[in-house]
Amino acid sequence: MTHTDDTKTPHLEVIPLGGMGEIGKNITAYRYEDEIMVVDAGLAFPDSHQMGIDLIIPRIDYLQQNAGMIRGWILTHGHEDHIGGLPYILPRLPKVPVYGAPLTLGLVREKLSEFGIKDHETDLREVDLNARFKIGKHFEIEYFRMTHSIPDNAGYILTTPAGRVLHTGDFKLDEHPADGQLSDLGRIEQAGKDGVLLLISDSTNAERPGRTPSEAEIAVNLEDVIANCKGRVFLTTFASQVNRIQNILNIAHRQSRRVIMEGRSMLKYAQVAQAVGHMNAPDPFLTNDEVGGMQDQQVLYICTGSQGQPMSVLSRLAFGNHAKIALRRGDSVILSSNPIPGNEEAVNLVINRLYEIGVDVYYPPAYRIHASGHGSQEELATVLNLARPKFFLPWHGEPRHQINHAKLAQTLPRPPKRTLIAKNGDVIRLSADEFKVTGTVPAGAVYVDGLGVGDIGDDVLLDRVNMSQEGILIMTAVLHPTPHVEVVSRGFVRANRDLDNQIRKVALDAIEQGTREKKRLEDVRDDMYGAVRRFVRKVTGRNPVLIPMIVD
Amino acid sequence: MTHTDDTKTPHLEVIPLGGMGEIGKNITAYRYEDEIMVVDAGLAFPDSHQMGIDLIIPRIDYLQQNAGMIRGWILTHGHEDHIGGLPYILPRLPKVPVYGAPLTLGLVREKLSEFGIKDHETDLREVDLNARFKIGKHFEIEYFRMTHSIPDNAGYILTTPAGRVLHTGDFKLDEHPADGQLSDLGRIEQAGKDGVLLLISDSTNAERPGRTPSEAEIAVNLEDVIANCKGRVFLTTFASQVNRIQNILNIAHRQSRRVIMEGRSMLKYAQVAQAVGHMNAPDPFLTNDEVGGMQDQQVLYICTGSQGQPMSVLSRLAFGNHAKIALRRGDSVILSSNPIPGNEEAVNLVINRLYEIGVDVYYPPAYRIHASGHGSQEELATVLNLARPKFFLPWHGEPRHQINHAKLAQTLPRPPKRTLIAKNGDVIRLSADEFKVTGTVPAGAVYVDGLGVGDIGDDVLLDRVNMSQEGILIMTAVLHPTPHVEVVSRGFVRANRDLDNQIRKVALDAIEQGTREKKRLEDVRDDMYGAVRRFVRKVTGRNPVLIPMIVD
């Protein structure tokens, strides 16, 4: 079923291709008549069943099929779940203007250049967070500033002949942001007065009561912790936490510690943020080679590894295999971060190793040194109250977050007339009096693994899961001159000659019986497969992936 | 290095074989001269790298090597991490008395019978929680009651010629336990006055400030939630939460709901708990077949699945594949539980599916309907203050928990003279003035998978991990009559004839060159392996597990 265009009422189609019913790989298309504009193109990280996958990007069949209609692209901010898919996606579509704020585009440029994509192959257009511009004939965009865990973060108002859409983008309402630049609630309120037909708002923390703590509170707590550290300090946070890192640079300056940045992504973000004026180091950064003569209490390392990534600086420090730095008693390690769901075990392992080394370790919740970048219920309510939308689309969340966001909206003085809990691929028809799903387009995950994009499907992942649980057993039957069977296994059981011999015999019996009965080769192979499967299950209680081969 | 016996001072050896530096598979041996007694024998669940493993039991080489010295065994309570290893371990050692409270032994009997172990093969001795008895010549045991998330939970005082050890067992200090039976703090205080040489105490929640909420508070909150449910209620919690389930039975009775127990383990625990008088259903349980004529608000299902286990009742309900029950709008699902680390993703999946069905879902932290069974810092401090030990061994925790427990002890008015952060296998020598690790014995994990116990080692697990990340590629080269190569893969890439052909050609080239050069068969095989590995890495960026076979 695809979208329909059967009426003449002016209507807009909102088509989430990623980030709806999930957290990650955000991308949304808007279509009005024969024009399409797109917002963001993010990536997602695999869950535990998507084994061996490096990352996931959204399917863009819909955009490819309608490539000629695409008039432009806007980016809300520079997080991976909003821009990480661009190097895979932009080259597959016609070159159109891509709008974004300075830091956002700085990070995009860096990313495209890593992929060998040349400047002239894209049309990046830097705008500020008050920019108003048109895309195609029908899309009028007004950016507005929203605070988040990265600077230059935008929401936008999209005005079309079918009505006005206000999309918050990712946000929290931080009253004391590190750069002093507040969310533009005035713009949301004005839009509310002018009339918002549809509000699309960030559902990430729709289950959390109250307000998300301000970045200012985190900075105060970090300064308390750092002030009490006697030796070297190693601090990790998300490399994209530019404002928090700015606060940490200021703290280091006040406490007479020089900062060393360690880890590729930490250096990259710092470089881009400095280039666009979002980071100003009060003292020049040092390299690790330059700290030789300094005292322990004069240095503060900011390093990668807040998610326990095995190759990160913090993991190498924790496991004692960093080439140049060895942790020791008296050092302090500060994790200004929480594990993202799925990373709990890796982070826990790092923390335990740090304790075993004997360093002092500081992390939430015992220390309130991290805050989410997404607003909690009071902040979500504020936006709903100001925007006063007719229709509401909870976005950037799994069903639990979307539905709690919807319930929250119903408790407010002016609840929306209708709320949709949408999924990726839904075609949502929007006009002055319509707000409903009228069809679907292809949407879902494209797996990126090594150099392959899309060459791994769910069948391949299922094999990986099966092999990970039970191992694999390969039987090669050679029929001539004398039938015999070779058995090789991986991940099945510890080398066991007796068991191998038994399996060989079971397989050989099946082969010999089949050949005596002059069965076809495929049937002989199936007989061997079945006999070995039953035998293995009976003797070991397991079901390895079985591969039977016959060499005639 | 093994333990040494080189002095004549009376000394006790404390030998943790599981549960020290980890949470799970608790087992501790004590040795005095030529006598050994053992405490508990639990199991643990695999982490994400121990793929396909069903469960983990402790290595007991030390006990097997010194089997003739074992005089008896005591059990602290009926949780799997304390008794789950018994069916694997008891049959491998001489029959000795095994002491435990009624519920604990009831659960042990059930477990042994599932494994086909006959009553006469073990010597289970039921005692109450004030029991005093001797094991061997030198071990005097006094049980005392401690509140926890299962009834009949014991700590114990072990008196030996070398001094007195007080082991809390797992505990929280619940001032309002469901069965009204308080922790015996008087016994701990008396021991403290008599002199505790060593305290071994539960470190699980050593990082949590304050007190763990009482079970009574949970019951009040559960009653609030259930009272507001209009339709059917489906509640899940740990099946071993006997006291909480008793509270829920009482709530159901007050609210005129009849209870249906669903799920094998829920029924098993209820049956054992009823048999020993720890559960009294105010109304008889119904079966699902008997609720036909009842109204929705008259039923309350208590079901398995609090950890998102795929075959549990709640998962089958959430995914719509329960044979007899289908959830529908108007139903309420209550999760009186938190995910155990590692189960977050599975539980999240179930919760999202429940939202998608449209049922109302209640779970922590939005609803305070679960509390840990382990005490927080204030409770740990209370025990330390009462026991006033000379030496302290934080147990039942990972290094982060042990070390925070140790730090907590140092903040108290009478800190221990020495604290050890021990590991499984450490031989800890204890006498009036000694408390140190003097050696190690083998300790670690035995993997149970299917029918196999110990037939999977770390090499097998490494193969599983590698195959899960990269898949496997099997090349079979047949040399006669004409050399040709078959390629089969699983979990590598989606079926791709071109790539298969290229790989075949690369392999065949290597084979033909090798045979031309009259290399040995192993060398030809290695050449094929190397050539294919390089080619696959270059073309796909991946490193599948490669299996080269040659049929001559």
Side-chain angles (χ1 to χ4, degrees):
Chain A
M1 177 164 158
T2 73
H3 61 279
T4 53
D5 249 345
D6 48 354
T7 76
K8 290 292 173 198
T9 340
H11 69 271
L12 178 69
E13 287 176 344
V14 184
I15 308 171
L17 296 173
M20 191 65 84
E22 67 176 340
I23 294 180
K25 66 176 170 66
N26 295 282
I27 176 168
T28 307
Y30 293 95
R31 176 170 173 176
Y32 186 86
E33 292 181 352
D34 59 352
E35 293 193 329
I36 289 172
M37 66 164 265
V38 192
V39 182
D40 292 338
L43 58 75
F45 293 102
D47 70 27
S48 70
H49 290 87
Q50 293 159 332
M51 290 178 162
I53 295 297
D54 296 337
L55 52 92
I56 296 168
I57 56 173
R59 281 184 67 175
I60 52 161
D61 309 46
Y62 174 76
L63 297 178
Q64 289 176 305
Q65 284 154 16
N66 298 285
M69 296 187 192
I70 304 174
R71 296 290 177 269
W73 213 293
I74 67 173
L75 304 176
T76 59
H77 65 288
H79 278 155
E80 291 290 356
D81 61 331
H82 292 260
I83 65 166
L86 287 172
Y88 301 96
I89 290 174
L90 286 186
R92 291 166 195 225
L93 294 171
K95 179 163 131 183
V96 296
V98 177
Y99 297 89
L103 179 61
T104 309
L105 287 197
L107 292 167
V108 169
R109 274 192 207 97
E110 183 74 22
K111 188 173 282 296
L112 295 177
S113 114
E114 283 171 22
F115 278 76
I117 299 170
K118 302 276 183 297
D119 282 355
H120 71 266
E121 297 176 69
T122 55
D123 178 9
L124 305 185
R125 300 194 183 182
E126 198 166 295
V127 291
D128 68 31
L129 289 192
N130 296 307
R132 299 178 176 223
F133 51 92
K134 279 190 83 163
I135 287 182
K137 292 189 297 288
H138 299 298
F139 302 113
E140 291 186 32
I141 310 289
E142 302 170 51
Y143 270 136
F144 59 91
R145 181 180 304 279
M146 293 293 271
T147 47
H148 186 41
S149 42
I150 189 168
D152 271 358
N153 179 67
Y156 62 90
I157 296 163
L158 167 63
T159 307
T160 73
R164 189 176 287 113
V165 177
L166 192 152
H167 183 185
T168 60
D170 293 15
F171 77 97
K172 68 197 263 189
L173 299 182
D174 193 335
E175 301 298 331
H176 307 278
D179 57 8
Q181 303 200 278
L182 296 166
S183 296
D184 194 352
L185 296 184
R187 194 69 204 80
I188 298 177
E189 185 183 22
Q190 185 58 48
K193 286 179 181 158
D194 299 339
V196 169
L197 184 59
L198 172 65
L199 172 69
I200 307 177
S201 182
D202 176 354
S203 309
T204 314
N205 282 340
E207 296 192 49
R208 290 201 201 166
R211 294 184 71 93
T212 300
S214 166
E215 201 52 43
E217 183 184 337
I218 303 309
V220 167
N221 296 341
L222 277 172
E223 182 144 18
D224 282 352
V225 170
I226 294 169
N228 283 314
C229 294
K230 306 279 179 254
R232 298 185 296 179
V233 171
F234 297 82
L235 185 149
T236 187
T237 188
F238 301 94
S240 60
Q241 277 274 13
V242 173
N243 280 337
R244 185 174 306 166
I245 291 170
Q246 178 64 52
N247 284 338
I248 294 162
L249 300 181
N250 298 343
I251 292 168
H253 180 71
R254 285 195 291 272
Q255 303 203 356
S256 307
R257 288 181 184 265
R258 293 293 294 275
V259 169
I260 304 99
M261 289 280 192
E262 283 284 334
R264 210 180 61 83
S265 70
M266 203 54 86
L267 291 161
K268 183 185 81 177
Y269 277 87
Q271 180 214 317
V272 175
Q274 286 177 304
V276 297
H278 279 294
M279 190 182 286
N280 294 291
D283 310 300
F285 297 139
L286 297 185
T287 66
N288 185 56
D289 295 334
E290 294 169 312
V291 302
M294 303 184 71
Q295 293 184 298
D296 287 354
Q297 69 274 24
Q298 294 178 317
V299 297
L300 186 153
Y301 291 81
I302 301 179
C303 58
T304 52
S306 72
Q307 297 304 307
Q309 310 93 309
M311 297 308 296
S312 66
V313 174
L314 185 61
S315 286
R316 284 183 283 143
L317 290 171
F319 289 91
N321 48 27
H322 191 284
K324 299 190 167 175
I325 310 171
L327 292 181
R328 53 180 186 255
R329 216 166 268 274
D331 291 335
S332 296
V333 173
I334 301 172
L335 291 95
S336 178
S337 55
N338 273 331
I340 291 170
N343 296 341
E344 296 90 348
E345 188 180 311
V347 173
N348 188 47
L349 201 60
V350 167
I351 289 177
N352 275 315
R353 292 302 297 256
L354 293 170
Y355 274 105
E356 288 180 310
I357 293 170
V359 305
D360 295 316
V361 201
Y362 303 90
Y363 47 88
Y367 297 87
R368 281 171 63 98
I369 51 179
H370 176 66
S372 169
H374 301 271
S376 303
Q377 288 170 354
E378 295 304 304
E379 293 151 274
L380 303 183
T382 297
V383 166
L384 279 155
N385 286 335
L386 291 173
R388 302 186 292 183
K390 182 167 184 184
F391 302 129
F392 178 38
L393 188 58
W395 155 85
H396 205 289
E398 300 170 2
R400 59 191 287 179
H401 311 115
Q402 295 174 288
I403 289 171
N404 278 296
H405 203 175
K407 285 183 178 170
L408 173 72
Q410 288 309 310
T411 66
L412 299 177
R414 286 175 181 249
K417 288 234 181 335
R418 183 177 303 158
T419 298
L420 282 185
I421 305 301
K423 293 190 292 291
N424 291 330
D426 282 347
V427 176
I428 302 162
R429 185 187 174 99
L430 178 71
S431 68
D433 47 16
E434 267 187 318
F435 180 50
K436 64 179 181 193
V437 176
T438 56
T440 58
V441 301
V446 175
Y447 300 123
V448 179
D449 186 12
L451 301 176
V453 179
D455 65 349
I456 289 189
D458 289 329
D459 51 338
V460 174
L461 291 183
L462 188 61
D463 279 338
R464 289 186 180 178
V465 169
N466 286 338
M467 292 190 297
S468 78
Q469 298 301 302
E470 307 271 353
I472 191 168
L473 184 76
I474 303 138
M475 307 159 280
T476 309
V478 182
L479 298 188
H480 304 292
T482 324
H484 65 283
V485 177
E486 296 296 327
V487 170
V488 177
S489 73
R490 288 289 186 280
F492 172 47
V493 290
R494 193 176 280 162
N496 179 338
R497 191 180 292 262
D498 278 356
L499 182 61
D500 284 355
N501 284 338
Q502 290 173 339
I503 293 171
R504 279 222 289 269
K505 181 161 185 328
V506 168
L508 196 58
D509 286 351
I511 298 269
E512 288 178 341
Q513 182 175 344
T515 45
R516 268 200 310 277
E517 296 175 6
K518 302 196 191 310
K519 287 189 176 180
R520 290 183 311 166
L521 216 54
E522 303 96 271
D523 294 333
V524 174
R525 193 178 56 198
D526 289 351
D527 288 352
M528 173 171 77
Y529 178 94
V532 170
R533 169 158 301 295
R534 285 188 298 275
F535 175 77
V536 165
R537 191 181 295 166
K538 188 175 133 219
V539 173
T540 68
R542 296 180 207 162
N543 287 307
V545 174
L546 282 190
I547 306 215
M549 298 198 284
I550 294 192
V551 178
D552 192 6
Chain B
M1 180 165 159
T2 73
H3 62 279
T4 54
D5 249 345
D6 50 351
T7 77
K8 291 293 174 197
T9 340
H11 68 271
L12 178 70
E13 287 176 343
V14 185
I15 308 171
L17 296 172
M20 192 65 85
E22 66 176 341
I23 294 181
K25 67 176 168 65
N26 295 281
I27 177 169
T28 307
Y30 293 96
R31 177 171 173 175
Y32 186 86
E33 292 181 350
D34 59 353
E35 293 192 332
I36 290 173
M37 66 163 266
V38 193
V39 182
D40 292 337
L43 58 75
F45 293 102
D47 69 27
S48 70
H49 290 86
Q50 293 160 330
M51 291 178 163
I53 295 297
D54 296 338
L55 52 93
I56 296 167
I57 56 174
R59 280 184 68 175
I60 52 160
D61 310 47
Y62 174 77
L63 298 178
Q64 289 176 304
Q65 283 153 18
N66 298 285
M69 296 187 191
I70 304 173
R71 296 289 176 270
W73 213 292
I74 68 173
L75 305 176
T76 60
H77 64 288
H79 278 156
E80 290 290 354
D81 61 331
H82 292 259
I83 64 166
L86 288 172
Y88 301 96
I89 291 173
L90 286 187
R92 292 166 193 225
L93 295 170
K95 179 163 131 183
V96 295
V98 177
Y99 298 89
L103 179 62
T104 309
L105 287 197
L107 292 167
V108 169
R109 275 191 207 99
E110 183 73 22
K111 188 173 283 296
L112 295 177
S113 115
E114 281 171 24
F115 278 75
I117 299 170
K118 302 276 184 297
D119 281 355
H120 71 266
E121 297 176 67
T122 56
D123 179 9
L124 304 185
R125 301 195 184 182
E126 198 166 294
V127 291
D128 67 31
L129 291 192
N130 295 309
R132 299 177 176 224
F133 52 94
K134 281 190 81 164
I135 287 181
K137 292 189 297 289
H138 300 297
F139 301 113
E140 291 185 30
I141 310 291
E142 303 170 50
Y143 269 137
F144 59 90
R145 181 180 305 279
M146 292 294 270
T147 47
H148 187 39
S149 41
I150 189 169
D152 270 0
N153 179 68
Y156 62 89
I157 296 163
L158 167 63
T159 307
T160 72
R164 188 176 288 113
V165 177
L166 191 151
H167 183 185
T168 60
D170 292 14
F171 77 97
K172 68 197 264 188
L173 299 182
D174 193 335
E175 301 297 333
H176 307 278
D179 58 8
Q181 302 200 279
L182 295 167
S183 296
D184 194 352
L185 296 184
R187 195 67 205 81
I188 298 177
E189 184 182 23
Q190 185 59 47
K193 287 179 181 159
D194 297 341
V196 170
L197 184 61
L198 172 64
L199 172 69
I200 306 177
S201 182
D202 177 353
S203 309
T204 314
N205 282 340
E207 295 192 50
R208 290 201 201 166
R211 296 183 69 92
T212 301
S214 165
E215 201 53 43
E217 183 184 334
I218 304 308
V220 167
N221 296 340
L222 277 173
E223 182 144 18
D224 282 351
V225 170
I226 294 169
N228 283 314
C229 294
K230 306 282 179 252
R232 299 185 297 179
V233 171
F234 296 82
L235 184 148
T236 187
T237 188
F238 301 94
S240 60
Q241 276 275 15
V242 172
N243 280 337
R244 185 174 305 166
I245 291 170
Q246 178 65 54
N247 284 337
I248 293 163
L249 299 181
N250 298 344
I251 292 168
H253 179 71
R254 285 195 291 272
Q255 304 201 358
S256 308
R257 288 181 184 264
R258 293 293 295 274
V259 170
I260 305 99
M261 289 280 194
E262 282 285 334
R264 210 180 62 83
S265 70
M266 204 51 86
L267 290 161
K268 182 185 83 175
Y269 276 87
Q271 178 214 317
V272 175
Q274 287 178 304
V276 297
H278 278 295
M279 190 183 285
N280 293 291
D283 310 299
F285 297 140
L286 297 185
T287 67
N288 185 56
D289 295 333
E290 294 170 310
V291 301
M294 303 184 70
Q295 292 184 297
D296 286 355
Q297 69 272 26
Q298 293 178 317
V299 297
L300 186 155
Y301 291 81
I302 301 179
C303 59
T304 53
S306 73
Q307 297 305 306
Q309 310 94 308
M311 297 308 297
S312 66
V313 174
L314 185 61
S315 286
R316 284 183 283 142
L317 289 172
F319 289 92
N321 49 26
H322 191 286
K324 299 190 169 175
I325 310 171
L327 291 181
R328 53 179 187 256
R329 215 167 267 274
D331 290 336
S332 296
V333 173
I334 301 172
L335 290 97
S336 178
S337 55
N338 273 331
I340 292 170
N343 297 340
E344 296 90 348
E345 188 181 310
V347 172
N348 188 47
L349 202 59
V350 166
I351 289 177
N352 275 316
R353 293 302 297 255
L354 293 171
Y355 274 105
E356 288 180 310
I357 293 171
V359 305
D360 296 315
V361 201
Y362 303 90
Y363 47 90
Y367 297 87
R368 281 170 64 95
I369 52 179
H370 176 67
S372 169
H374 301 270
S376 303
Q377 288 171 354
E378 296 304 304
E379 293 151 273
L380 303 183
T382 297
V383 166
L384 280 154
N385 286 334
L386 291 172
R388 302 186 291 182
K390 183 168 183 183
F391 301 130
F392 177 40
L393 188 58
W395 155 85
H396 205 288
E398 301 171 2
R400 58 190 289 178
H401 311 115
Q402 294 173 287
I403 289 171
N404 278 296
H405 203 175
K407 286 183 176 169
L408 173 72
Q410 288 309 309
T411 66
L412 299 177
R414 287 174 180 248
K417 288 233 181 332
R418 183 177 303 157
T419 298
L420 283 185
I421 306 301
K423 293 190 292 291
N424 291 331
D426 281 347
V427 176
I428 303 162
R429 185 186 174 99
L430 179 71
S431 68
D433 47 15
E434 266 188 319
F435 180 51
K436 63 179 182 193
V437 175
T438 58
T440 57
V441 301
V446 174
Y447 300 123
V448 178
D449 186 12
L451 301 175
V453 179
D455 64 351
I456 289 189
D458 289 329
D459 51 338
V460 174
L461 290 184
L462 188 61
D463 279 338
R464 289 186 180 176
V465 169
N466 287 337
M467 292 190 295
S468 78
Q469 298 300 303
E470 308 270 353
I472 190 168
L473 183 77
I474 304 138
M475 308 158 279
T476 310
V478 181
L479 298 188
H480 304 293
T482 324
H484 65 281
V485 177
E486 297 296 328
V487 170
V488 177
S489 72
R490 288 288 186 280
F492 172 48
V493 289
R494 192 176 282 161
N496 179 339
R497 191 180 291 263
D498 278 355
L499 182 61
D500 284 356
N501 284 339
Q502 290 173 340
I503 293 171
R504 278 220 292 271
K505 180 162 186 325
V506 168
L508 195 59
D509 287 351
I511 298 270
E512 288 178 342
Q513 182 175 345
T515 45
R516 268 200 309 276
E517 296 174 7
K518 302 198 190 309
K519 287 188 176 180
R520 290 182 313 166
L521 216 54
E522 303 96 274
D523 294 333
V524 175
R525 192 177 57 198
D526 290 351
D527 288 352
M528 173 171 76
Y529 178 93
V532 170
R533 170 160 299 297
R534 284 188 298 275
F535 174 76
V536 165
R537 192 180 294 166
K538 187 174 133 220
V539 174
T540 69
R542 297 178 208 164
N543 287 305
V545 173
L546 281 189
I547 306 215
M549 298 199 283
I550 293 192
V551 178
D552 191 6

